[in-house]
Every structure is written in C-alpha cells, then in structure tokens.
Amino acid sequence: MEEAVSRNFIEQIIEEDIKEGHCKAVRTRFPPEPNGYLHIGHAKSILLNYGLAEKYNGKFNMRFDDTNPTKERVEFVESIKEDIRWLGADWEDRLFFASDYFGQMYEAAVKLIRKGKAYVSDLDAEQIREYRGTLTEPGKEDPNCKRSVEENLQLFEDMKNGKYEDGALVLRARIDMASPNINMRDPILYRVAHMEHHNTGDAWCIYPMYDFAHPIEDAIEGITHSICTLEFEDHRPLYDWVVREVGYERPPKQIEFAKLYLTNVVTGKRYIKKLVEDGIVDGWDDPRLVSIAALRRRGFTPESIQRFVELCGVSKANSSVDYAMLEYCIREDLKLKRPRMMAVLDPIKLVIDNYPEGEVEYLEAANNLENEGLGTRKIPFCRELYIEREDFMEEPPKKYFRLFPGNEVRLMHAYFVKCESFVKDGNGKVVEVHVTYDPETKAGSGFTGRKVKGTIHWVPAPFAEECEVRLYENLVDEEKGVYNKEDGSLNLNPNSLTVLKGCVAEPALAEAKAYDSYQFVRQGFFCADAKDSGPGRLVFNRIVSLKSSYKLPT
C-alpha cells in the first residue's frame, strides 16, 4: 500500500498541468523589487518558489523587478542576493533583471498601440483617479483614448526620447473603463521618469509599471507558474490580458497564496526605513527587526527559518502566526548543535578560601550533554571565580537552593562549596562571597557522601573574557499593538534593547567569530555579533531564551 502524500493546493495545480501536458518543465522565480531588505515574509516566497522547482526537477530564476529607479539601490540588490544564498536557494546562472528587458517591453507597448490596445494620455494623476471611478461606480473614458494609432506612436516615441517632463504624459492600456475590476480600467503601462537607473544608467527616461512589466518578464523567461501573494489576485486578469495581447504562445499561470503574517512585528519597508533614518535601530539588520539580514545577525539559522516556513504551510487564507513559533524553531535547531558554555552576565566575585593560592587545575566538561559528538573541553579552575549576583542571597526566601550563609551548592563541572561569609562595599552592596570547597566532591569522581539541591555556573576570574551582552525584547509594545490607531505611528517598546557591559565568559569564548553561536548555561542561546564583535571586543546577541510556553500545534 502506497503511503499517502499530502500536497498543498499549488502542488496539486502543477501536477495537474504536468498531467494534462500544459507544462513540460516547471520553472519558477522570485522577483523582489530592490527597494529595501527582505524580511521573514519574503523567506516563505523564496523557499516556496525554490522548493517547487526542486521538487519537480525544474528551474528557479532569481530576478530583480527593478522598474522603479526612484527607490532602488545597488545596496539592496546585493543584500537580497546575500539573503537568498544564505537561505539555501541556488539560482546558479539564472540571475536576471527586469531592466534587461526594457527594450522588449518598449516593443510590446508599441505592439499594443498598433493593435489599438494602448494610447497616450495627458491627464494628470488626480484626473486619472477621478476618471477611474470607484468600487461601486464605473469609470469614464479618457478624452485621449480616441487618438489615432499614428499619433500615439509618435507621442510614445517622443516620451522615450525625453521630450516630455515627468508626469506630463503616460501610456495607458485600452481595456474597459466600466469593468467591475478597477485594475482593468485602462491601467497605466508607462510613465515618464528622468531618473538614473542602477542598472541601465540614463539610457531610459520612461519606465514600465509593475503590472505591465511583470507578466512580460515571466513570459520572456519561460516561467510556467508565477507564484505570488493574495493581494495580486485582483491583478490576475490584467496579467493574463498583457501576455495574451502581446502574443506569447506559452503564457505563464499566476497562482496566489496567503502571505506570512507574524504577530507584533514590523515588516513594512516604509516603517523600517523610518526606524533606520531616525536612528531607533542601527540599520536594516538590527537584531530587533525581522529582516532576513537581522535574523541572521541575531543568530537564526537557515534551517530554523526553513522549518518555520514548513510549519506555516501554504494556503489561500490569510492568517497570523505567533512569533513564538519562530523562536521554537531556532531553539529546536540549536539545542543539539551548539556547545553549552558558561558566561556570567552580572558578575560577583567568589573566593574559595581553602583552595591553594596560585594553583590552577583544568576540569573536563562535556560541550553538550545531549550530543556526545560535540566532544569535551578543558576549563581552568582556581581560587577566584565569578558567579551570577542572583546566585547569592544574604537572606534567601524559602525554596532558594543557591548560595547563602551556611548553604552548600555544586559548582558546575567542579566541586561542592559552602558559603562561609561575604563582603559589602560602602554602599551596602555585596561585592565578594567567601566559600570553602570539599576536594572529595570533584565532578566525575563518583562521590556519593551527600547531596546538594543547587548547582551554579561560574567563570574563572584570572582567565575570564570580558564581553558585552545584548538582550532583546519585541521592538513594539505587544499590549498596545504594532501601530497607533490615531496617527499610524509605531508603538515602540522602550525596553526592546538592554546592553549589559562587564559580563564575563569562560576563556574558550575568546575565539568566537561573527555568527558563531552558543548556549550560555541558564541564560539562553547567544550569537557573536557580526558588526561589533571581534578580537579584543566580544559582543553577544541573545538569540532566544531557553524556555517558552509555546506548544507546537498538533
């Protein structure tokens, strides 16, 4: 008996097309506009398109929809390429730009003019909106729609040759001003824009609109299935109209799926751009954002994002996903892959009074108790250590099992120690804790004489690596929601970033390089910051805490 295979609705469409002979070789594409950095929502589209091409032994095209030079930059082109490579989508030698096809798009527009399917209009933007009508009222014919073919051809050529200023003329499709679909009411195909283009320089001063350019790009490249998000569903009749009227023999099929929405996160490029410009975040890759570059810098892995996208699934219905699911995926990915190291974020000195001064011994510690394959390491142990301030209390509450006067705990990987005394500074703050150790209780010695209820981690003071640790919360105030209902501004969380200086880590962490990640015992998973960490200055970003109340849906 064959095992049942679950297929999403897009896979069902593709398989039906293959079965009926409509598609011989599947070809998909990811077509971002280079006007900002990609975010977690784009990851779903990237992995979906790439995954479909892989599944059906097809081809995957990487294409920049660079038809709007007013917002596009080479910086964004390069960041997008880096993000897609990092996610694991390989376009091999199939990297394309919409601007590569500007000549073909111009000829397609000329073809439409000759067929009487396009005309040049001198209405301004406000008049075009007025003539278009509303969702409940039909539009009115543009007074220019009756221009002769010859006049339209001349005007369009004059537009191309730079004889008109920005906004003076546009080329419109001639379709149906009474159509119930407002996108079909003589949409604009070309506008005048005297702008330097990142790829074509000043070769053009007219640029195609997205709804005209995109179907042509797909058709030129032989895309079989143009996978896009639901907001383009109403644009599909125009997409089909363009490829049909221009005359492509094998028109692509547009299929829409639901976007990926994450709760309480900022994904809008306009908002992120303002956060960057206002200095609220330190760039498009600030670890508090959910751009792919930001997630990478924070310490997320491609595998964790692939798993997240897989869990979200593919559907036709819009829905929101809890950010905690993304955190679940990175915890699951890292817990067996990364070594568990000791770092102290709020250090207080611990002195072992009966340990020989000047003596150092090297204790063996497993790098990950759940994965023996990660091996072991040696940690120097000596008379003076650092422990977390919260691991000592002068007057502890009930069920506090760490250090307090007269209590005994285990130092992780080391010995039992008993608290004998402590020292305060002039302000009454404890600055030093004094203990004695029992040499018979060394970890791994098989000692069974007595048990202790608490185990605390530590860092050897003479060998400690000082570091900066950055703790993150949501960038927005979760109780208020992402956007202020009154003015549309962001409800920012003032505690979204906490910077801890003077933290200390065990000496093995001195070798941490950009993007190296670890589990810090009891603190969470951390990653060496790619921008600010380096030799002589260690900076770690907390990727995620160790525990969550999130449960994977069944």
Side-chain angles (χ1 to χ4, degrees):
M1 182 177 177
E2 287 189 13
E3 184 181 347
V5 177
S6 176
R7 295 179 178 85
N8 63 53
F9 77 96
I10 297 177
E11 291 170 343
Q12 291 171 8
I13 292 171
I14 291 174
E15 291 187 10
E16 188 66 23
D17 287 344
I18 294 172
K19 181 180 176 183
E20 294 184 1
H22 300 317
C23 171
K24 292 182 179 178
V26 171
R27 180 163 292 194
T28 61
R29 83 290 172 267
F30 177 64
E33 184 181 354
N35 62 358
Y37 281 52
L38 301 182
H39 57 67
I40 185 68
H42 293 112
K44 179 177 180 179
S45 183
I46 294 163
L47 295 172
L48 174 59
N49 278 284
Y50 181 70
L52 289 169
E54 270 205 316
K55 180 169 185 174
Y56 297 104
N57 298 314
K59 300 288 187 181
F60 170 76
N61 287 7
M62 173 64 220
R63 181 215 306 146
F64 287 96
D65 255 320
D66 55 344
T67 59
N68 185 6
T70 59
K71 298 179 180 179
E72 296 162 0
R73 298 212 305 261
V74 173
E75 173 197 350
F76 298 141
V77 170
E78 295 306 317
S79 75
I80 288 169
K81 288 197 289 188
E82 185 178 358
D83 289 344
I84 295 173
R85 284 196 192 97
W86 179 77
L87 278 175
D90 183 7
W91 60 80
E92 297 178 2
D93 59 347
R94 292 181 302 281
L95 174 63
F96 304 102
F97 291 84
S99 52
D100 294 337
Y101 313 131
F102 279 171
Q104 288 156 282
M105 291 176 192
Y106 179 81
E107 291 304 321
V110 168
K111 184 173 185 178
L112 292 180
I113 293 172
R114 292 189 187 281
K115 290 177 67 175
K117 298 290 186 177
Y119 60 93
V120 174
S121 173
D122 58 15
L123 295 185
D124 62 28
E126 187 176 337
Q127 289 172 319
I128 288 175
R129 277 194 298 272
E130 180 188 339
Y131 274 69
R132 187 179 288 136
T134 67
L135 293 174
T136 56
E137 297 176 351
K140 299 183 296 183
E141 278 201 338
D142 186 321
N144 301 284
C145 72
K146 300 218 175 11
R147 291 187 198 271
S148 68
V149 169
E150 291 72 22
E151 185 181 3
N152 282 316
L153 287 172
Q154 186 60 56
L155 287 170
F156 190 49
E157 185 176 354
D158 290 345
M159 287 169 60
K160 177 177 74 77
N161 292 335
K163 294 185 178 180
Y164 292 96
E165 295 181 355
D166 294 4
L169 296 177
V170 295
L171 181 71
R172 300 183 71 174
R174 183 163 172 74
I175 308 178
D176 181 5
M177 291 302 292
S179 172
N181 185 337
I182 207 162
N183 296 295
M184 299 297 281
R185 296 180 188 174
D186 291 13
I188 297 172
L189 304 182
Y190 263 91
R191 79 282 196 195
V192 178
H194 292 267
M195 292 286 297
E196 185 86 6
H197 189 281
H198 74 92
N199 196 31
T200 60
D202 59 0
W204 294 88
C205 62
I206 57 170
Y207 292 96
M209 303 299 287
Y210 177 87
D211 278 346
F212 178 64
H214 190 76
I216 292 175
E217 297 156 28
D218 284 347
I220 290 171
E221 293 176 13
I223 300 303
T224 57
H225 298 86
S226 182
I227 315 298
C228 57
T229 47
L230 277 179
E231 71 264 33
F232 292 102
E233 189 169 27
D234 289 342
H235 297 247
R236 194 198 318 155
L238 178 55
Y239 182 101
D240 293 341
W241 183 91
V242 170
V243 292
R244 182 175 65 250
E245 294 296 338
V246 175
Y248 292 103
E249 291 183 8
R250 289 188 170 273
K253 176 180 284 188
Q254 179 174 303
I255 307 171
E256 306 86 18
F257 69 97
K259 265 186 176 180
L260 172 55
Y261 290 99
L262 267 182
T263 56
N264 294 313
V265 300
V266 181
T267 55
K269 289 178 183 175
R270 176 168 62 92
Y271 286 100
I272 296 176
K273 186 170 182 283
K274 182 166 174 53
L275 289 170
V276 173
E277 290 174 349
D278 292 350
I280 294 169
V281 296
D282 74 354
W284 288 81
D285 63 349
D286 186 294
R288 289 168 289 179
L289 299 172
V290 290
S291 66
I292 295 174
L295 292 169
R296 180 167 71 249
R297 181 179 170 193
R298 184 156 172 176
F300 281 78
T301 61
E303 294 82 3
S304 66
I305 295 176
Q306 291 162 8
R307 176 61 174 150
F308 174 67
V309 168
E310 181 184 320
L311 288 174
C312 291
V314 179
S315 74
K316 271 278 196 183
N318 281 325
S319 61
S320 293
V321 179
D322 195 331
Y323 183 80
M325 185 198 280
L326 182 59
E327 294 182 317
Y328 164 85
C329 291
I330 188 62
R331 283 192 193 94
E332 288 296 299
D333 186 54
L334 294 182
K335 68 181 182 181
L336 296 180
K337 290 182 177 179
R338 299 297 185 259
R340 296 175 183 176
M341 316 291 278
M342 295 191 292
V344 174
L345 308 192
D346 186 11
I348 183 174
K349 185 165 281 189
L350 182 84
V351 180
I352 307 173
D353 291 332
N354 63 332
Y355 195 89
E357 286 196 47
E359 184 171 315
V360 178
E361 63 179 306
Y362 288 84
L363 306 176
E364 187 167 47
N367 284 328
N368 189 320
L369 291 171
E370 296 177 65
N371 182 0
E372 292 183 0
L374 291 183
T376 61
R377 68 188 185 283
K378 297 286 188 179
I379 308 171
F381 183 84
C382 53
R383 190 170 188 266
E384 293 190 355
L385 314 172
Y386 288 115
I387 63 169
E388 291 286 355
R389 183 170 294 279
E390 66 177 20
D391 285 344
F392 170 79
M393 292 190 76
E394 185 179 354
E395 297 178 3
K398 288 183 179 181
K399 295 188 178 180
Y400 181 85
F401 300 122
R402 301 172 209 171
L403 277 175
F404 56 87
N407 192 46
E408 190 173 45
V409 301
R410 173 176 287 285
L411 293 177
M412 186 174 287
H413 308 304
Y415 301 92
F416 287 10
V417 294
K418 182 179 181 181
C419 181
E420 305 292 350
S421 62
F422 55 91
V423 178
K424 293 183 177 181
D425 64 14
N427 297 316
K429 183 179 180 180
V430 176
V431 292
E432 208 167 84
V433 177
H434 287 257
V435 299
T436 53
Y437 88 115
D438 182 348
E440 300 297 319
T441 60
K442 186 175 183 178
S445 66
F447 175 78
T448 57
R450 62 188 182 279
K451 293 185 178 181
V452 291
K453 291 185 176 180
T455 298
I456 64 175
H457 65 285
W458 49 275
V459 170
F463 303 93
E465 290 290 336
E466 187 171 333
C467 57
E468 177 182 306
V469 170
R470 297 168 180 176
L471 306 178
Y472 300 100
E473 293 181 9
N474 202 318
L475 183 61
V476 297
D477 188 322
E478 295 184 27
E479 292 184 5
K480 293 180 180 178
V482 178
Y483 306 110
N484 187 313
K485 292 180 181 178
E486 293 182 5
D487 60 8
S489 62
L490 294 172
N491 291 317
L492 295 173
N493 173 11
N495 302 313
S496 62
L497 170 62
T498 301
V499 178
L500 303 177
K501 296 185 181 292
C503 306
V504 290
E506 61 173 277
L509 286 164
E511 304 301 317
K513 302 182 296 297
Y515 302 114
D516 284 352
S517 57
Y518 311 86
Q519 182 184 137
F520 287 177
V521 173
R522 288 170 48 200
Q523 303 289 2
F525 292 97
F526 291 77
C527 174
D529 187 77
K531 270 189 177 177
D532 301 327
S533 191
R537 189 195 176 197
L538 289 174
V539 179
F540 292 100
N541 302 320
R542 184 159 70 182
I543 309 167
V544 68
S545 59
L546 290 177
K547 293 184 179 179
S548 170
S549 58
Y550 178 78
K551 300 292 183 185
L552 189 66
T554 56

